[in-house]
Amino acid sequence: MTEAPFKPRDLSWHPPAFFERYRSTHLRAPQQPLLQMPQTETELTGPTFGQNDLGPLDDDLITNYATPGQSAQGPRIIVHGTLRDEDGRPVPGKLIEVWQANAGGRYRHVNDGYLAPLDDNFGGCGRCLTDADGHYNFRTILPGPYPWPNGGNDWRPAHIHFSVFGDGFAQRLITQMYFEGDPHIALCPIVQAIPSDDAIDRLVARLDMTRTVPMDIRAYRFDIVLRGRNATIFENQREGT
Amino acid sequence: MALKESPSQTAGPYVHIGCAAQTAGLEKRGMGDQLGGQMVPAGQDTVTLAITILDGSGEPVKDALIEIWQAGQNGDYTTSDEFQNWGRQASDLSSGVAHFETLKPGRNGTQASHILVWIVARGINLGLTTRIYFPDEDNTSDPVFRLAGARANTLVASQTHVGYTHTIRLQGANETVFFDV
């Protein structure tokens, strides 16, 4: 074993398993508390991915489902940021997968029958690896908000789903990215299940004019943080310290 | 620099688009291959692991995404051309069963043969981690198995003629043990 275990996950920072206003949790939230266990080699390790696992257009949702020469409909955006751990260290070479609705709020999925039409040129699936500095970058279109069955007049804020791998399976994370200024963020039970506004704010991407390309495409910045590691224990630590 | 982990959010009902495109009905077009679908090279013998997740009303969860991570037959986590230690499958949209074609893991140190299972779905706000142990192994000295005490039986798969089947219960009297790792 070469690396220290991961820091305990702060469960009070994440949305609780059961949340009254998010009805799908009612029959799916475990009722017993999670059982704490020490990390073993199983949790400290995880799959690795390389450029060979990806196709050349995987990070470009504007064109990766489009007929050659055409592109997806909707406001063109770059989504980029840095993957770090809780100690602030960049996490390079890790797989990030994204999926999203089209500009009208419709998913290309057999189970989505929303009124908004599909876009022949948009699939809604992308992926990339973080570079040596932990940075990632996608091109896509701004997803639309959409209604969902939750017992009332519920609309999801525009969002992009993110799946992130770390060094060990204990870091595995799926989350969602929102867009600054969206009034649905404050109304959405899925978002508001997150206990604090401070934590919610970490999922809100900012318009980034420094990466916006004039006359072409706007940029949003979304940084992602994975669990860090416990402090390294040095073998030559002085007695009594 | 001390940062906080990004808060988790549900994978939602359309997780397949990003993680199991065939299940979504998404054609490949310009994308690379789906990841995690093949753990063992074609033509090699495998063990079939069938996983069903039941919700609090006893109904199968039909929109879950399940990932497994396990040692190879030799008990280590070194991926090779012969075995990918990571697998990913969606619950079948009709039956709710997820099938993995894998190999039975070997013991890892003091740990009995086991498979880490990670579950995300609509209505699950933070991915759930559990384990599968095997009915034909001595699990009693495994340190994690022992932690589960009287509920450890919820972690043990059943044998079938092609491999193993395992039911994960999200709620109820026999709720499966989920871990805070």
Side-chain angles (χ1 to χ4, degrees), chain B:
Chain B
M1 179 162 54
L3 303 173
K4 292 288 277 186
E5 185 185 16
S6 298
S8 174
Q9 290 274 264
T10 178
Y14 308 122
V15 59
H16 316 95
I17 296 171
C19 300
Q22 285 171 342
T23 304
L26 197 72
E27 308 137 61
K28 191 178 153 190
R29 297 222 186 162
M31 288 285 295
D33 291 335
Q34 191 165 325
L35 299 173
Q38 188 159 18
M39 301 175 72
V40 180
Q44 306 277 323
D45 287 344
T46 60
V47 165
T48 301
L49 173 63
I51 300 177
T52 305
I53 303 169
L54 301 181
D55 71 13
S57 66
E59 290 295 313
V61 173
K62 297 175 178 176
D63 54 7
L65 182 81
I66 303 174
E67 295 188 0
I68 65 174
W69 174 246
Q70 62 166 93
Q73 287 174 308
N74 55 6
D76 76 34
Y77 285 87
T78 309
T79 288
S80 70
D81 291 341
E82 294 304 303
F83 185 62
Q84 303 283 321
N85 309 63
W86 176 70
R88 176 157 78 178
Q89 298 288 340
S91 303
D92 184 87
L93 295 179
S94 302
S95 69
V97 184
H99 288 97
F100 293 86
E101 296 298 330
T102 184
L103 300 175
K104 187 174 171 184
R107 292 183 64 89
N108 173 270
T110 60
Q111 300 197 83
S113 298
H114 68 279
I115 294 176
L116 181 157
V117 181
W118 189 72
I119 301 164
V120 291
R122 170 177 66 86
I124 294 177
N125 283 333
L126 176 64
L128 295 171
T129 302
T130 182
R131 282 186 170 197
I132 291 176
Y133 287 88
F134 294 89
D136 47 342
E137 294 289 327
D138 179 10
N139 300 313
T140 53
S141 63
D142 179 281
V144 176
F145 190 83
R146 288 168 67 100
L147 281 176
R151 298 175 62 209
N153 63 310
T154 68
L155 302 177
V156 182
S158 302
Q159 210 150 9
T160 67
H161 64 286
V162 291
Y164 298 89
T165 182
H166 185 59
T167 302
I168 293 171
R169 293 177 173 82
L170 298 178
Q171 298 180 350
N174 291 311
E175 180 179 312
T176 298
V177 171
F178 298 104
F179 294 100
D180 176 13
V181 178

